[in-house]
Amino acid sequence: QLGFILLSCVLRQVRGRLKKDVEQMKLQDPNFRPGLVVLQVGDRDDSNLYISMKLKAAAEIGINATHMRLPKTATEEEVLHSITEVNENSSVHGLIVQLPLDSNHKMDTEKVTNAVAPEKDVDGLTSINAGKLSRGDLGDCFIPCTPNGCMELIRQTGVSVAGKRAVVIGRSKIVGAPMHDLLLWNHATVTTCHSRTADLPGEVGKADILVVGIGKAEMVKGEWIKKGAVVIDCGINHIPDETKASGKRVVGDVHYASAKDQAGFITPVPGGVGPMTVAMLMANTVLSAKRFLESHQPGKWNISYTKLNLQKPVPSDIVISRSCVPKPIDCLAREVGLLSDEVELYGKTKAKVHLSIIKRLQAQPDGKYVVVTGITPTPLGEGKSTTTIGLVQALGAHLKLNVFACVRQPSQGPTFGIKGGAAGGGYSQVIPMEEFNLHLTGDIHAITAANNLVAAAIDARMFHESTQSDKALYNRLVPLNGEQRKFSPIQINRLKKLGIEKTDPSTLTEEEITRFARLDMDPSSVTWQRVLDTNDRFLRKITIGQSPTEKGYTREAQFDITVASEIMAVLALTTSLQDMRQRLAKMVVATSRGGQPITTEDLGVSGALTVLMKDAIKPNLMQTLEGNPVFVHAGPFANIAHGNSSILADKIALKLVGPEGFVVTEAGFGADIGMEKFFNIKCRYSGLRPHVVVLVATVRALKMHGGGPTVSLLEFSANLELLEKGCSNMRKQIENAQHFGVPVVVAVNAFKTDTEAELDLVCSMAKAVGAFDAVRCSHWAEGGAGAVALGQAVQRASEAPSKFQFLYDLELPIADKIRIIAQKIYGADDIELLPEAQHKVELYTKQGFSNLPICMAKTHLSLSHEADRKGVPTGFILPIRDIRASVGSGFLFPLVGTMPTIPGLPTRPCFYDIDLDPETEQVNGLF
């Protein structure tokens, strides 16, 4: 007899095993916990009882169980919506729909149960799981809990199922039908009996194993049962019993009193199959959680790559981009280990990734970190973006390593101006290039809106302060709401900053009211400008406030291009949503007449800025031509800002690739510009340490540095003497990278006009002056296959010893930090602080900003401040015209010479070639 003692032992063993499994999962990932949701419609007492049993069992094992209640008034559509939400929640591994559905509305139970994702259907009731069980795919489905519990009980008797004759009474989808399949695939000979069975007692008498789930009280009699049979009674029925307080008692489908002497083993009712059903539900939930962990191991990718169909001559970038059909972006997201609720789709080819992934993967080790930079470029660029993508395609599609590219989002100004797009080129591109180069997911538009809200707030505040008394200003800033005034949270922050520890507006003194209400900004000190993501030279200096409604309060101002906004730099350097909120609040927009810095928090606008930026903070996922993942996020200019993509994108990518994978990011312009800022600014705030620097060089640029004419679309003829002389610039940029203690691999981006002798000369000279390796690359024409040698060199370099160090100590005086950069990176003899710059040094030191890193705003076309001085200029003094503070983003930026912060359009801009085909809706003319 399978009595209570044996049953309690079985349950204890099952629960103990499951508890150990949960603890093992926590060891694997301390933040992980199996999740179960029980969805109930209505409020039936019996359902409440069953659910409480499930929740209690889950808590004992360590499963995070949630009871989701929907009212009786819930419609089928509302129930299905709730199921979809749970399906998409990656923290939930099991979903049970408690039956029956106790709703006032008609419900299709089959439709509702089949809405549960099969991988979360721990009840095993969906058609997919039932079908897999019917086919014998027991290792790839969830077995319904009651049949699974029955099998566990049968196993505990020690009776072998194989070869035995089994009889199942009942053919319900919950018990009978799956029980038949389960016994069959455990090699029993199975007969299913039901209401139309002709000789039920005769069939029962043949059974070595009898499972009853017919729903009729004590229908099976003891004399029907074969001597020594195993009897599993799944029935729960109520019959009258005057001896019970309730007037009834629970019995099974088998007449227990007469059957217990016939059967070799028999389960009691209650207390038999019921507790085992709950135990098997927990077992299925733990199994689902195990499967989830197994399939979502960080760094365990199951990625497919796209084979390129290389053409010669190489077609235009847009033709190549359209010749390759991108993978659906949700498919790519799954391939690299992103969960469905971590991805926000923007169409079929781009998506945003939620920051919640950082917490999920925080315990995982990072991959290898590579930064791509270049020699001092020609105006046409030397192919850093193309090299970045080519290297990623080589490491991934050809060397079979997990690899992510992290690149900046391009500004639309240059796209429609002179430079064109920035998606790489040839057979090393981010696709679709139209999406990449135009609106993408609207991040730059969000920055434009946020930036201009600050600008509007500044001028509005100065206007209102100049036209109102202190009292009137205060009353409007803290208006009556009903019969009382109330400070907003951001106003409370301002009071605390002023040292006023009051929360009741009526208690402020007149002096406190004045201090609170008046920012007293000096109009001549306003450093915050309006922005636009368009090249427009006529916005470089404007006059605002000319309407009569502004009562003569005009001032000179200007527009910058959006990617020069401090908010763009904040986006690129932030490490979390909370950090972004704090950075946005610290942005200094002006100085008061009393010499105090005025921030966006003082203006009361920082909370609104965070709201405008809440989606922009999520990195954008795209792909290369060969199907590698790419994060496109943030796009600060490198000559007037720090010129690197976001810290967040890099951090997420480093977790996703795993410890053997690679993340390749690009720093804008030459190593003296983008790379120096990458190390001294980005790496300070991220805490990340790069393993390798890839320095991109071209023969044409090196010839220019050797004294050749300014490069054009026409290439030079072979000239080894000119090339050797120009390699001095490459030597200096290698030296610049070595200042930071990181191995350098030189990538010689080969053009079709380069000769073998020229390419060999560049490689040999690079290695002679300290590069770890130097390899020629043909990724523009060949895709990843043309950068395999580069990928192998980067792999080797990543294993080499390195001693990363910053160039300067933050505690040094401002002028000393600028001098170190000028002398060590640019090769200047010294710096000269012009009067305005000297004034700013004193001001920012007084205001407490002297310990910020330095972001030099300098031409990218020369190591010096003069764009026409090529090679390695010497004997020059670097003039510092002005210094500005980007306190929110966290740096000071000295202005070297005159730097336009919004480009102009040339005589013939790129927009002449750009159009839309109205029939196909394809964009033409981008390059």
Side-chain angles (χ1 to χ4, degrees), residues 346-376:
Y346 279 65
K348 297 179 180 179
T349 57
K350 54 190 177 180
K352 279 195 166 291
V353 174
H354 290 254
L355 303 189
S356 58
I357 189 175
I358 296 174
K359 183 177 180 181
R360 175 169 73 86
L361 299 180
Q362 64 184 354
Q364 304 304 325
D366 288 343
K368 308 288 179 61
Y369 197 26
V370 179
V371 60
V372 177
T373 185
I375 62 170
T376 304

PDB file of all heavy atoms in Angstrom, residues 346-376:
ATOM      1  N   TYR A 346      12.003  48.934 -33.359  1.00  0.00           N
ATOM      2  CA  TYR A 346      11.674  50.107 -34.170  1.00  0.00           C
ATOM      3  C   TYR A 346      11.662  49.625 -35.626  1.00  0.00           C
ATOM      4  O   TYR A 346      12.606  49.836 -36.363  1.00  0.00           O
ATOM      5  CB  TYR A 346      12.705  51.213 -33.981  1.00  0.00           C
ATOM      6  CG  TYR A 346      12.507  52.057 -32.748  1.00  0.00           C
ATOM      7  CD1 TYR A 346      12.627  51.514 -31.479  1.00  0.00           C
ATOM      8  CD2 TYR A 346      12.204  53.414 -32.847  1.00  0.00           C
ATOM      9  CE1 TYR A 346      12.452  52.278 -30.344  1.00  0.00           C
ATOM     10  CE2 TYR A 346      12.029  54.193 -31.712  1.00  0.00           C
ATOM     11  CZ  TYR A 346      12.152  53.613 -30.467  1.00  0.00           C
ATOM     12  OH  TYR A 346      11.970  54.376 -29.330  1.00  0.00           O
ATOM     13  N   GLY A 347      10.594  48.936 -36.003  1.00  0.00           N
ATOM     14  CA  GLY A 347      10.555  48.327 -37.323  1.00  0.00           C
ATOM     15  C   GLY A 347      11.296  47.004 -37.329  1.00  0.00           C
ATOM     16  O   GLY A 347      11.503  46.373 -36.290  1.00  0.00           O
ATOM     17  N   LYS A 348      11.727  46.574 -38.515  1.00  0.00           N
ATOM     18  CA  LYS A 348      12.333  45.254 -38.673  1.00  0.00           C
ATOM     19  C   LYS A 348      13.853  45.250 -38.614  1.00  0.00           C
ATOM     20  O   LYS A 348      14.464  44.189 -38.518  1.00  0.00           O
ATOM     21  CB  LYS A 348      11.895  44.650 -40.014  1.00  0.00           C
ATOM     22  CG  LYS A 348      10.396  44.399 -40.125  1.00  0.00           C
ATOM     23  CD  LYS A 348      10.031  43.820 -41.487  1.00  0.00           C
ATOM     24  CE  LYS A 348       8.534  43.571 -41.592  1.00  0.00           C
ATOM     25  NZ  LYS A 348       8.161  43.035 -42.928  1.00  0.00           N
ATOM     26  N   THR A 349      14.463  46.444 -38.675  1.00  0.00           N
ATOM     27  CA  THR A 349      15.923  46.460 -38.827  1.00  0.00           C
ATOM     28  C   THR A 349      16.649  47.237 -37.735  1.00  0.00           C
ATOM     29  O   THR A 349      17.872  47.374 -37.791  1.00  0.00           O
ATOM     30  CB  THR A 349      16.310  47.064 -40.187  1.00  0.00           C
ATOM     31  OG1 THR A 349      15.748  48.385 -40.293  1.00  0.00           O
ATOM     32  CG2 THR A 349      15.811  46.197 -41.330  1.00  0.00           C
ATOM     33  N   LYS A 350      15.934  47.751 -36.769  1.00  0.00           N
ATOM     34  CA  LYS A 350      16.585  48.480 -35.680  1.00  0.00           C
ATOM     35  C   LYS A 350      15.754  48.324 -34.416  1.00  0.00           C
ATOM     36  O   LYS A 350      14.547  48.109 -34.468  1.00  0.00           O
ATOM     37  CB  LYS A 350      16.766  49.960 -36.044  1.00  0.00           C
ATOM     38  CG  LYS A 350      15.492  50.644 -36.461  1.00  0.00           C
ATOM     39  CD  LYS A 350      15.739  52.031 -37.039  1.00  0.00           C
ATOM     40  CE  LYS A 350      14.408  52.652 -37.512  1.00  0.00           C
ATOM     41  NZ  LYS A 350      14.570  53.987 -38.073  1.00  0.00           N
ATOM     42  N   ALA A 351      16.429  48.418 -33.293  1.00  0.00           N
ATOM     43  CA  ALA A 351      15.749  48.236 -32.006  1.00  0.00           C
ATOM     44  C   ALA A 351      16.527  48.965 -30.931  1.00  0.00           C
ATOM     45  O   ALA A 351      17.721  49.242 -31.075  1.00  0.00           O
ATOM     46  CB  ALA A 351      15.643  46.753 -31.658  1.00  0.00           C
ATOM     47  N   LYS A 352      15.843  49.288 -29.866  1.00  0.00           N
ATOM     48  CA  LYS A 352      16.503  49.825 -28.678  1.00  0.00           C
ATOM     49  C   LYS A 352      16.624  48.719 -27.640  1.00  0.00           C
ATOM     50  O   LYS A 352      15.776  47.830 -27.564  1.00  0.00           O
ATOM     51  CB  LYS A 352      15.720  51.009 -28.115  1.00  0.00           C
ATOM     52  CG  LYS A 352      16.012  52.302 -28.862  1.00  0.00           C
ATOM     53  CD  LYS A 352      15.547  53.524 -28.117  1.00  0.00           C
ATOM     54  CE  LYS A 352      16.133  54.785 -28.710  1.00  0.00           C
ATOM     55  NZ  LYS A 352      17.579  54.909 -28.492  1.00  0.00           N
ATOM     56  N   VAL A 353      17.686  48.804 -26.844  1.00  0.00           N
ATOM     57  CA  VAL A 353      17.946  47.795 -25.819  1.00  0.00           C
ATOM     58  C   VAL A 353      17.793  48.442 -24.450  1.00  0.00           C
ATOM     59  O   VAL A 353      18.402  49.486 -24.169  1.00  0.00           O
ATOM     60  CB  VAL A 353      19.354  47.194 -25.983  1.00  0.00           C
ATOM     61  CG1 VAL A 353      19.672  46.245 -24.833  1.00  0.00           C
ATOM     62  CG2 VAL A 353      19.450  46.457 -27.320  1.00  0.00           C
ATOM     63  N   HIS A 354      16.965  47.840 -23.612  1.00  0.00           N
ATOM     64  CA  HIS A 354      16.683  48.389 -22.288  1.00  0.00           C
ATOM     65  C   HIS A 354      17.887  48.222 -21.356  1.00  0.00           C
ATOM     66  O   HIS A 354      18.626  47.235 -21.425  1.00  0.00           O
ATOM     67  CB  HIS A 354      15.464  47.691 -21.680  1.00  0.00           C
ATOM     68  CG  HIS A 354      14.182  48.038 -22.357  1.00  0.00           C
ATOM     69  ND1 HIS A 354      13.243  48.871 -21.808  1.00  0.00           N
ATOM     70  CD2 HIS A 354      13.683  47.685 -23.568  1.00  0.00           C
ATOM     71  CE1 HIS A 354      12.225  49.001 -22.633  1.00  0.00           C
ATOM     72  NE2 HIS A 354      12.474  48.291 -23.716  1.00  0.00           N
ATOM     73  N   LEU A 355      18.034  49.172 -20.464  1.00  0.00           N
ATOM     74  CA  LEU A 355      19.176  49.152 -19.553  1.00  0.00           C
ATOM     75  C   LEU A 355      19.050  48.079 -18.474  1.00  0.00           C
ATOM     76  O   LEU A 355      20.009  47.811 -17.753  1.00  0.00           O
ATOM     77  CB  LEU A 355      19.350  50.525 -18.892  1.00  0.00           C
ATOM     78  CG  LEU A 355      19.522  51.717 -19.846  1.00  0.00           C
ATOM     79  CD1 LEU A 355      19.907  52.961 -19.054  1.00  0.00           C
ATOM     80  CD2 LEU A 355      20.559  51.432 -20.921  1.00  0.00           C
ATOM     81  N   SER A 356      17.875  47.442 -18.375  1.00  0.00           N
ATOM     82  CA  SER A 356      17.698  46.375 -17.379  1.00  0.00           C
ATOM     83  C   SER A 356      18.690  45.237 -17.598  1.00  0.00           C
ATOM     84  O   SER A 356      19.012  44.493 -16.665  1.00  0.00           O
ATOM     85  CB  SER A 356      16.269  45.825 -17.443  1.00  0.00           C
ATOM     86  OG  SER A 356      15.980  45.335 -18.752  1.00  0.00           O
ATOM     87  N   ILE A 357      19.193  45.106 -18.812  1.00  0.00           N
ATOM     88  CA  ILE A 357      20.143  44.023 -19.103  1.00  0.00           C
ATOM     89  C   ILE A 357      21.423  44.176 -18.287  1.00  0.00           C
ATOM     90  O   ILE A 357      22.083  43.193 -17.968  1.00  0.00           O
ATOM     91  CB  ILE A 357      20.475  43.981 -20.613  1.00  0.00           C
ATOM     92  CG1 ILE A 357      21.288  42.731 -20.932  1.00  0.00           C
ATOM     93  CG2 ILE A 357      21.194  45.253 -21.063  1.00  0.00           C
ATOM     94  CD1 ILE A 357      21.569  42.535 -22.402  1.00  0.00           C
ATOM     95  N   ILE A 358      21.765  45.403 -17.927  1.00  0.00           N
ATOM     96  CA  ILE A 358      22.998  45.618 -17.150  1.00  0.00           C
ATOM     97  C   ILE A 358      22.908  44.909 -15.805  1.00  0.00           C
ATOM     98  O   ILE A 358      23.862  44.264 -15.366  1.00  0.00           O
ATOM     99  CB  ILE A 358      23.257  47.126 -16.962  1.00  0.00           C
ATOM    100  CG1 ILE A 358      23.505  47.791 -18.317  1.00  0.00           C
ATOM    101  CG2 ILE A 358      24.441  47.367 -16.026  1.00  0.00           C
ATOM    102  CD1 ILE A 358      23.619  49.298 -18.254  1.00  0.00           C
ATOM    103  N   LYS A 359      21.758  45.013 -15.168  1.00  0.00           N
ATOM    104  CA  LYS A 359      21.578  44.339 -13.873  1.00  0.00           C
ATOM    105  C   LYS A 359      21.587  42.827 -14.051  1.00  0.00           C
ATOM    106  O   LYS A 359      22.190  42.099 -13.262  1.00  0.00           O
ATOM    107  CB  LYS A 359      20.268  44.792 -13.226  1.00  0.00           C
ATOM    108  CG  LYS A 359      20.044  44.192 -11.856  1.00  0.00           C
ATOM    109  CD  LYS A 359      18.772  44.721 -11.203  1.00  0.00           C
ATOM    110  CE  LYS A 359      18.568  44.110  -9.824  1.00  0.00           C
ATOM    111  NZ  LYS A 359      17.324  44.578  -9.180  1.00  0.00           N
ATOM    112  N   ARG A 360      20.936  42.347 -15.118  1.00  0.00           N
ATOM    113  CA  ARG A 360      20.876  40.895 -15.337  1.00  0.00           C
ATOM    114  C   ARG A 360      22.270  40.312 -15.532  1.00  0.00           C
ATOM    115  O   ARG A 360      22.566  39.208 -15.073  1.00  0.00           O
ATOM    116  CB  ARG A 360      19.996  40.584 -16.551  1.00  0.00           C
ATOM    117  CG  ARG A 360      19.973  39.098 -16.913  1.00  0.00           C
ATOM    118  CD  ARG A 360      18.909  38.767 -17.919  1.00  0.00           C
ATOM    119  NE  ARG A 360      19.179  39.222 -19.253  1.00  0.00           N
ATOM    120  CZ  ARG A 360      19.902  38.545 -20.165  1.00  0.00           C
ATOM    121  NH1 ARG A 360      20.440  37.378 -19.857  1.00  0.00           N
ATOM    122  NH2 ARG A 360      20.079  39.035 -21.371  1.00  0.00           N
ATOM    123  N   LEU A 361      23.152  41.037 -16.212  1.00  0.00           N
ATOM    124  CA  LEU A 361      24.466  40.496 -16.556  1.00  0.00           C
ATOM    125  C   LEU A 361      25.598  41.041 -15.689  1.00  0.00           C
ATOM    126  O   LEU A 361      26.772  40.824 -16.000  1.00  0.00           O
ATOM    127  CB  LEU A 361      24.770  40.805 -18.029  1.00  0.00           C
ATOM    128  CG  LEU A 361      23.819  40.214 -19.064  1.00  0.00           C
ATOM    129  CD1 LEU A 361      24.258  40.611 -20.470  1.00  0.00           C
ATOM    130  CD2 LEU A 361      23.728  38.697 -18.944  1.00  0.00           C
ATOM    131  N   GLN A 362      25.255  41.728 -14.594  1.00  0.00           N
ATOM    132  CA  GLN A 362      26.295  42.427 -13.837  1.00  0.00           C
ATOM    133  C   GLN A 362      27.368  41.502 -13.265  1.00  0.00           C
ATOM    134  O   GLN A 362      28.525  41.922 -13.084  1.00  0.00           O
ATOM    135  CB  GLN A 362      25.673  43.247 -12.718  1.00  0.00           C
ATOM    136  CG  GLN A 362      24.963  42.448 -11.644  1.00  0.00           C
ATOM    137  CD  GLN A 362      24.278  43.344 -10.618  1.00  0.00           C
ATOM    138  OE1 GLN A 362      24.420  44.553 -10.649  1.00  0.00           O
ATOM    139  NE2 GLN A 362      23.522  42.749  -9.710  1.00  0.00           N
ATOM    140  N   ALA A 363      27.019  40.247 -13.008  1.00  0.00           N
ATOM    141  CA  ALA A 363      28.009  39.331 -12.431  1.00  0.00           C
ATOM    142  C   ALA A 363      28.887  38.671 -13.495  1.00  0.00           C
ATOM    143  O   ALA A 363      29.831  37.953 -13.160  1.00  0.00           O
ATOM    144  CB  ALA A 363      27.293  38.247 -11.617  1.00  0.00           C
ATOM    145  N   GLN A 364      28.591  38.907 -14.773  1.00  0.00           N
ATOM    146  CA  GLN A 364      29.324  38.241 -15.841  1.00  0.00           C
ATOM    147  C   GLN A 364      30.621  38.992 -16.183  1.00  0.00           C
ATOM    148  O   GLN A 364      30.656  40.226 -16.140  1.00  0.00           O
ATOM    149  CB  GLN A 364      28.450  38.140 -17.097  1.00  0.00           C
ATOM    150  CG  GLN A 364      27.124  37.443 -16.865  1.00  0.00           C
ATOM    151  CD  GLN A 364      27.282  36.053 -16.287  1.00  0.00           C
ATOM    152  OE1 GLN A 364      28.233  35.350 -16.630  1.00  0.00           O
ATOM    153  NE2 GLN A 364      26.373  35.656 -15.411  1.00  0.00           N
ATOM    154  N   PRO A 365      31.668  38.266 -16.532  1.00  0.00           N
ATOM    155  CA  PRO A 365      32.933  38.932 -16.899  1.00  0.00           C
ATOM    156  C   PRO A 365      32.822  39.635 -18.252  1.00  0.00           C
ATOM    157  O   PRO A 365      32.038  39.232 -19.112  1.00  0.00           O
ATOM    158  CB  PRO A 365      33.938  37.771 -16.964  1.00  0.00           C
ATOM    159  CG  PRO A 365      33.099  36.549 -17.202  1.00  0.00           C
ATOM    160  CD  PRO A 365      31.786  36.792 -16.541  1.00  0.00           C
ATOM    161  N   ASP A 366      33.620  40.679 -18.422  1.00  0.00           N
ATOM    162  CA  ASP A 366      33.627  41.436 -19.671  1.00  0.00           C
ATOM    163  C   ASP A 366      34.471  40.742 -20.733  1.00  0.00           C
ATOM    164  O   ASP A 366      35.361  39.942 -20.435  1.00  0.00           O
ATOM    165  CB  ASP A 366      34.219  42.835 -19.445  1.00  0.00           C
ATOM    166  CG  ASP A 366      33.280  43.737 -18.658  1.00  0.00           C
ATOM    167  OD1 ASP A 366      32.078  43.415 -18.568  1.00  0.00           O
ATOM    168  OD2 ASP A 366      33.744  44.762 -18.131  1.00  0.00           O
ATOM    169  N   GLY A 367      34.197  41.121 -21.999  1.00  0.00           N
ATOM    170  CA  GLY A 367      35.035  40.669 -23.100  1.00  0.00           C
ATOM    171  C   GLY A 367      36.243  41.571 -23.281  1.00  0.00           C
ATOM    172  O   GLY A 367      36.572  42.403 -22.425  1.00  0.00           O
ATOM    173  N   LYS A 368      36.925  41.420 -24.407  1.00  0.00           N
ATOM    174  CA  LYS A 368      38.109  42.227 -24.742  1.00  0.00           C
ATOM    175  C   LYS A 368      37.623  43.533 -25.392  1.00  0.00           C
ATOM    176  O   LYS A 368      36.710  43.535 -26.198  1.00  0.00           O
ATOM    177  CB  LYS A 368      39.020  41.472 -25.697  1.00  0.00           C
ATOM    178  CG  LYS A 368      39.394  40.052 -25.238  1.00  0.00           C
ATOM    179  CD  LYS A 368      40.347  40.068 -24.085  1.00  0.00           C
ATOM    180  CE  LYS A 368      40.681  38.657 -23.617  1.00  0.00           C
ATOM    181  NZ  LYS A 368      41.323  37.836 -24.650  1.00  0.00           N
ATOM    182  N   TYR A 369      38.328  44.615 -25.087  1.00  0.00           N
ATOM    183  CA  TYR A 369      37.895  45.966 -25.468  1.00  0.00           C
ATOM    184  C   TYR A 369      38.919  46.558 -26.428  1.00  0.00           C
ATOM    185  O   TYR A 369      40.103  46.676 -26.094  1.00  0.00           O
ATOM    186  CB  TYR A 369      37.802  46.797 -24.187  1.00  0.00           C
ATOM    187  CG  TYR A 369      37.023  48.088 -24.246  1.00  0.00           C
ATOM    188  CD1 TYR A 369      36.000  48.310 -25.162  1.00  0.00           C
ATOM    189  CD2 TYR A 369      37.311  49.102 -23.325  1.00  0.00           C
ATOM    190  CE1 TYR A 369      35.284  49.504 -25.155  1.00  0.00           C
ATOM    191  CE2 TYR A 369      36.598  50.294 -23.313  1.00  0.00           C
ATOM    192  CZ  TYR A 369      35.580  50.485 -24.237  1.00  0.00           C
ATOM    193  OH  TYR A 369      34.873  51.660 -24.224  1.00  0.00           O
ATOM    194  N   VAL A 370      38.479  46.913 -27.622  1.00  0.00           N
ATOM    195  CA  VAL A 370      39.368  47.419 -28.670  1.00  0.00           C
ATOM    196  C   VAL A 370      38.879  48.784 -29.129  1.00  0.00           C
ATOM    197  O   VAL A 370      37.680  48.963 -29.390  1.00  0.00           O
ATOM    198  CB  VAL A 370      39.392  46.450 -29.879  1.00  0.00           C
ATOM    199  CG1 VAL A 370      40.302  46.978 -30.977  1.00  0.00           C
ATOM    200  CG2 VAL A 370      39.824  45.054 -29.435  1.00  0.00           C
ATOM    201  N   VAL A 371      39.793  49.752 -29.251  1.00  0.00           N
ATOM    202  CA  VAL A 371      39.431  51.070 -29.762  1.00  0.00           C
ATOM    203  C   VAL A 371      40.147  51.299 -31.091  1.00  0.00           C
ATOM    204  O   VAL A 371      41.344  51.037 -31.226  1.00  0.00           O
ATOM    205  CB  VAL A 371      39.761  52.200 -28.754  1.00  0.00           C
ATOM    206  CG1 VAL A 371      41.239  52.249 -28.408  1.00  0.00           C
ATOM    207  CG2 VAL A 371      39.280  53.546 -29.273  1.00  0.00           C
ATOM    208  N   VAL A 372      39.381  51.739 -32.081  1.00  0.00           N
ATOM    209  CA  VAL A 372      39.930  52.031 -33.408  1.00  0.00           C
ATOM    210  C   VAL A 372      40.125  53.540 -33.532  1.00  0.00           C
ATOM    211  O   VAL A 372      39.198  54.313 -33.306  1.00  0.00           O
ATOM    212  CB  VAL A 372      38.998  51.522 -34.523  1.00  0.00           C
ATOM    213  CG1 VAL A 372      39.544  51.902 -35.901  1.00  0.00           C
ATOM    214  CG2 VAL A 372      38.833  50.006 -34.422  1.00  0.00           C
ATOM    215  N   THR A 373      41.334  53.946 -33.888  1.00  0.00           N
ATOM    216  CA  THR A 373      41.649  55.355 -34.088  1.00  0.00           C
ATOM    217  C   THR A 373      42.453  55.472 -35.381  1.00  0.00           C
ATOM    218  O   THR A 373      42.486  54.538 -36.185  1.00  0.00           O
ATOM    219  CB  THR A 373      42.402  55.914 -32.868  1.00  0.00           C
ATOM    220  OG1 THR A 373      42.591  57.316 -33.037  1.00  0.00           O
ATOM    221  CG2 THR A 373      43.735  55.220 -32.654  1.00  0.00           C
ATOM    222  N   GLY A 374      43.086  56.614 -35.606  1.00  0.00           N
ATOM    223  CA  GLY A 374      43.785  56.771 -36.872  1.00  0.00           C
ATOM    224  C   GLY A 374      44.916  57.776 -36.794  1.00  0.00           C
ATOM    225  O   GLY A 374      45.101  58.479 -35.796  1.00  0.00           O
ATOM    226  N   ILE A 375      45.675  57.852 -37.882  1.00  0.00           N
ATOM    227  CA  ILE A 375      46.663  58.904 -38.026  1.00  0.00           C
ATOM    228  C   ILE A 375      45.917  60.217 -38.272  1.00  0.00           C
ATOM    229  O   ILE A 375      44.698  60.227 -38.405  1.00  0.00           O
ATOM    230  CB  ILE A 375      47.641  58.602 -39.178  1.00  0.00           C
ATOM    231  CG1 ILE A 375      46.873  58.520 -40.511  1.00  0.00           C
ATOM    232  CG2 ILE A 375      48.400  57.309 -38.911  1.00  0.00           C
ATOM    233  CD1 ILE A 375      47.766  58.453 -41.733  1.00  0.00           C
ATOM    234  N   THR A 376      46.620  61.322 -38.318  1.00  0.00           N
ATOM    235  CA  THR A 376      45.978  62.594 -38.640  1.00  0.00           C
ATOM    236  C   THR A 376      45.385  62.489 -40.044  1.00  0.00           C
ATOM    237  O   THR A 376      46.109  62.205 -41.004  1.00  0.00           O
ATOM    238  CB  THR A 376      46.995  63.742 -38.581  1.00  0.00           C
ATOM    239  OG1 THR A 376      47.612  63.742 -37.286  1.00  0.00           O
ATOM    240  CG2 THR A 376      46.308  65.078 -38.827  1.00  0.00           C
TER     241      THR A 376
END
